[in-house]
Amino acid sequence: MAMISDAPALQQPSEPAESAAAPSRMARYARPILGLLLPLALALGWELVVWLGWSNGRLVPPPSRVFATIAELARSGELVRHVIATLWRVGLGFAFGVIAGTMLGAVSGYWSLARRLLDPTVQALRAIPSLAWVPLFILWLGIFETSKVALIAVGVFFPVYLGVMGAILSVDRKIVEVGRTFRLSGPAMIRRILLPAVLPAYVVSLRVGLGLGWMFVVAAELIGASEGLGYLLLDGQQLGKPAQILAAIVIFAILGKLTDWLIEVAAAPFLRWQDAFGRAKGA
Amino acid sequence: MLALDRVSKTYPNGVQALSRFSAEIRLGEIIAIIGGSGCGKSTLLRAIAGLDRASAGTVTLDNEAIVSPHAKIGIIFQEPRLLPWLSVADNIGFGLADLPAAERREKVARALERVGLAEKAQAWPRELSGGQAQRVAIARALVPQPEVLLLDEPFSALDAFTRRDLQDHLLDLWADTRPTLILVTHDVDEAVVLADRVLVMRPRPGRLFDQIEINLGRPRDRNSPLFENFKRSVLTSLDRSLDRNVPDRDATQGPGQAMWW
């Protein structure tokens, strides 16, 4: 996920300056294109296979049929309805999960007493596969929106909680000492030292959390929904429409990447100081 | 005046790092503290800074007991410890948050000029060389105009040339407001170049072993015979503090002696 795709960038923090000038413009566009070659070739190849009649493409529809399905869903207004339903659930669940995860993570990171009280319980709960909550949530919260949002929030909560707590615990003692020598008060220490120090890890945990949010919305919608992209998946399975399933998957991919990118873009101005962020990304 | 009265520090694990260290340091004096590893020199400095509390004894600055970091005491660490998310200028102004913005900007600009990094004001700390970063750290510590500036092996991570540069630069900056400087070092050369008085410490437990006044005018010539003399007396004292049997340094360097193998 987000963490994995960032890892290579972190390992090459300072690209030598000479490659920054003329070749970089080409590199910036050429490399993503390089990555697109394989999927494009596969898609075109499959399209060709079906077009030549070597396969009927019934179970594995060619890209043109998938996009035709998307276009049709869009024309009928179905697509917007499903996308909005799913986005709304993810957004709400993400918000709740982030708020709870940030608050508890901050408390556990800052006060060791709270950590001793709270963390073992949270870690024990984390060990439960989150889908195991589904029957309970349905019993408690009903089969409508509340249980779905709750499930997504649970998925988002743990990575954010762990990220915030871990980030606070790993703030460099030496830098905290600088704050102490300038006699910062508690709130000033948090605002001027801890928050900025924690921010990079926090952004990563948000991105991981969002990824899990997208995972759990599918689970929630597969279980029982009358709208949403997950419902499109299930509907496609039950009515034997693989093009519709693939269409939903493509839209999931687009939305997931888009929302992840939004977090990255929103955080970028605050992380310009970092050695690795964005700078080495084009490389 | 900074008064250290029988300052002792025993760590929770039972290690006695510092035992009954007493000294009186005048305003504007430059003190170098030197000693073998584990002699408690950093512990002493942290007690003076108010970062750690002494187990016994007192540190008083102008009759005020120091138990926590104090506005009149600044510290420079071995590493620059700049805040990576602040520009160079904001790092220097870090301790001036209480001042109005205009006044802060003016002081920061003057400090940047003074350490020769005016063109780096908006750079990030990661863009600085080691020597530049340490100069920013010096400016950050000096800009609130402390009465006492503590330096914990501030130049030990730098190469020899940069170290010399910064030693001279530090003296230059010191002359502006003449604060008390207390420098922990393990570099005899550095101690003799900078200090009015060298305190030699003895390890296990750390305590004061010897004091050597460096009666040399400034600027000091590192190659003069007098400078060499002071260096030798500090080295001899340091050897004795570590119970090494070197009764006479010159004798060991006599002809033939170096060739005995």
Side-chain angles (χ1 to χ4, degrees):
Chain A
M1 269 174 293
M3 273 201 295
I4 292 162
S5 71
D6 274 355
L10 291 170
Q11 281 160 4
Q12 29 179 287
S14 49
E15 192 78 345
E18 72 253 28
S19 75
S24 87
R25 190 179 308 155
M26 206 197 75
R28 191 181 302 159
Y29 299 109
R31 286 192 196 172
I33 288 172
L34 224 57
L36 281 175
L37 272 183
L38 182 65
L40 277 181
L42 284 176
L44 280 177
W46 187 243
E47 190 74 50
L48 206 65
V49 165
V50 175
W51 185 69
L52 291 172
W54 295 346
S55 163
N56 61 18
R58 200 169 292 153
L59 281 180
V60 187
S64 61
R65 223 176 290 163
V66 174
F67 287 112
T69 311
I70 294 179
E72 196 182 312
L73 283 169
R75 212 173 314 123
S76 65
E78 287 282 280
L79 186 65
V80 176
R81 186 166 67 89
H82 293 303
V83 165
I84 284 176
T86 298
L87 269 181
W88 173 246
R89 285 169 191 144
V90 172
L92 216 56
F94 182 67
F96 283 126
V98 165
I99 290 169
T102 305
M103 289 198 319
L104 288 184
V107 167
S108 292
Y110 199 73
W111 284 297
S112 52
L113 178 67
R115 183 165 61 253
R116 275 177 209 128
L117 279 172
L118 204 65
D119 194 51
T121 311
V122 176
Q123 298 297 350
L125 289 176
R126 192 170 72 96
I128 301 170
S130 305
L131 290 182
W133 293 111
V134 169
L136 208 55
F137 281 174
I138 289 178
L139 276 184
W140 285 348
L141 306 169
I143 57 163
F144 298 109
E145 295 305 306
T146 322
S147 59
K148 294 187 180 64
V149 170
L151 184 66
I152 295 164
V154 166
V156 173
F157 169 83
F158 289 108
V160 174
Y161 167 86
L162 275 184
V164 171
M165 185 180 74
I168 292 178
L169 287 178
S170 62
V171 171
D172 192 353
R173 179 190 58 81
K174 293 177 172 175
I175 284 208
V176 175
E177 225 161 51
V178 171
R180 283 184 61 206
T181 60
F182 285 106
R183 290 163 300 117
L184 296 188
S185 62
M189 184 73 98
I190 291 174
R191 185 172 54 83
R192 301 183 64 192
I193 304 269
L194 291 181
L195 277 186
V198 154
L199 195 63
Y202 186 54
V203 171
V204 171
S205 76
L206 287 185
R207 293 171 68 181
V208 175
L210 184 67
L212 280 173
W214 280 107
M215 217 157 101
F216 279 82
V217 79
V218 178
E221 290 179 345
L222 281 178
I223 286 154
S226 52
E227 56 180 5
L229 292 169
Y231 163 80
L232 272 188
L233 289 173
L234 196 64
D235 187 61
Q237 180 213 326
Q238 284 167 348
L239 301 180
K241 294 189 284 191
Q244 184 179 316
I245 297 177
L246 284 174
I249 287 175
V250 167
I251 292 165
F252 265 126
I254 292 171
L255 288 179
K257 183 69 201 158
L258 204 68
T259 46
D260 183 62
W261 176 77
L262 278 179
I263 293 184
E264 201 187 321
V265 166
F270 302 103
L271 298 179
R272 272 185 307 139
W273 53 271
Q274 265 199 310
D275 240 345
F277 200 79
R279 212 158 300 268
K281 194 151 281 185
Chain B
M1 186 169 75
L2 183 72
L4 310 174
D5 185 21
R6 286 163 289 169
V7 178
S8 307
K9 176 79 184 179
T10 308
Y11 283 107
N13 60 10
V15 173
Q16 193 179 17
L18 198 59
S19 168
R20 301 167 68 81
F21 189 102
S22 296
E24 296 203 330
I25 297 161
R26 295 184 306 275
L27 178 64
E29 202 176 358
I30 304 182
I31 299 284
I33 300 175
I34 199 165
S37 63
C39 71
K41 40 193 202 299
S42 288
T43 306
L44 179 67
L45 208 66
R46 292 178 63 86
I48 301 173
L51 286 170
D52 290 336
R53 287 193 66 167
S55 324
T58 53
V59 179
T60 47
L61 175 63
D62 304 334
N63 299 321
E64 192 182 344
I66 303 296
V67 288
S68 60
H70 192 282
K72 286 185 185 167
I73 302 178
I75 184 163
I76 296 168
F77 299 97
Q78 186 174 1
E79 328 79 21
R81 299 200 187 180
L82 303 182
L83 304 176
W85 52 84
L86 295 180
S87 67
V88 165
D90 288 341
N91 261 292
I92 292 179
F94 190 77
L96 304 176
D98 298 336
L99 295 183
E103 196 181 339
R104 185 169 65 229
R105 257 198 306 278
E106 190 207 333
K107 285 197 169 191
V108 169
R110 212 180 314 138
L112 273 167
E113 199 70 51
R114 200 70 188 80
V115 295
L117 289 170
E119 79 283 8
K120 294 276 186 190
Q122 293 314 314
W124 299 112
R126 66 176 150 82
E127 292 161 341
L128 303 178
S129 70
Q132 289 172 332
Q134 198 58 298
R135 271 192 276 167
V136 173
I138 292 174
R140 177 176 68 181
L142 279 174
V143 89
Q145 299 195 338
E147 222 169 79
V148 177
L149 184 61
L150 310 171
L151 302 103
D152 189 0
E153 304 187 14
F155 309 132
S156 61
L158 304 172
D159 63 87
F161 282 116
T162 315
R163 193 180 311 155
R164 273 190 176 204
D165 266 3
L166 279 186
Q167 285 162 357
D168 296 342
H169 195 66
L170 178 71
L171 280 180
D172 192 27
L173 293 171
W174 169 79
D176 287 352
T177 55
R178 297 197 167 238
T180 307
L181 292 191
I182 303 178
L183 169 90
V184 160
T185 182
H186 51 228
D187 179 348
V188 174
D189 221 74
E190 183 168 282
V192 178
V193 164
L194 295 175
D196 297 319
R197 181 152 55 119
V198 177
L199 306 184
V200 181
M201 289 183 73
R202 184 187 176 113
R204 278 175 291 276
R207 64 218 123 118
L208 184 59
F209 177 71
D210 196 6
Q211 296 199 33
I212 297 157
E213 300 268 350
I214 311 288
N215 295 314
L216 275 175
R218 296 175 199 281
R220 289 175 182 168
D221 177 4
R222 288 168 213 251
N223 300 316
S224 74
L226 220 51
F227 187 89
E228 283 298 322
N229 273 344
F230 278 112
K231 249 175 83 174
R232 195 167 308 132
S233 57
V234 172
L235 270 173
T236 310
S237 171
L238 203 54
D239 278 333
R240 291 218 184 90
S241 79
L242 297 170
D243 293 328
R244 284 190 200 136
N245 261 329
V246 193
D248 188 355
R249 273 187 166 264
D250 293 314
T252 58
Q253 288 165 3
Q257 195 116 30
M259 307 268 284
W260 61 269
W261 65 86

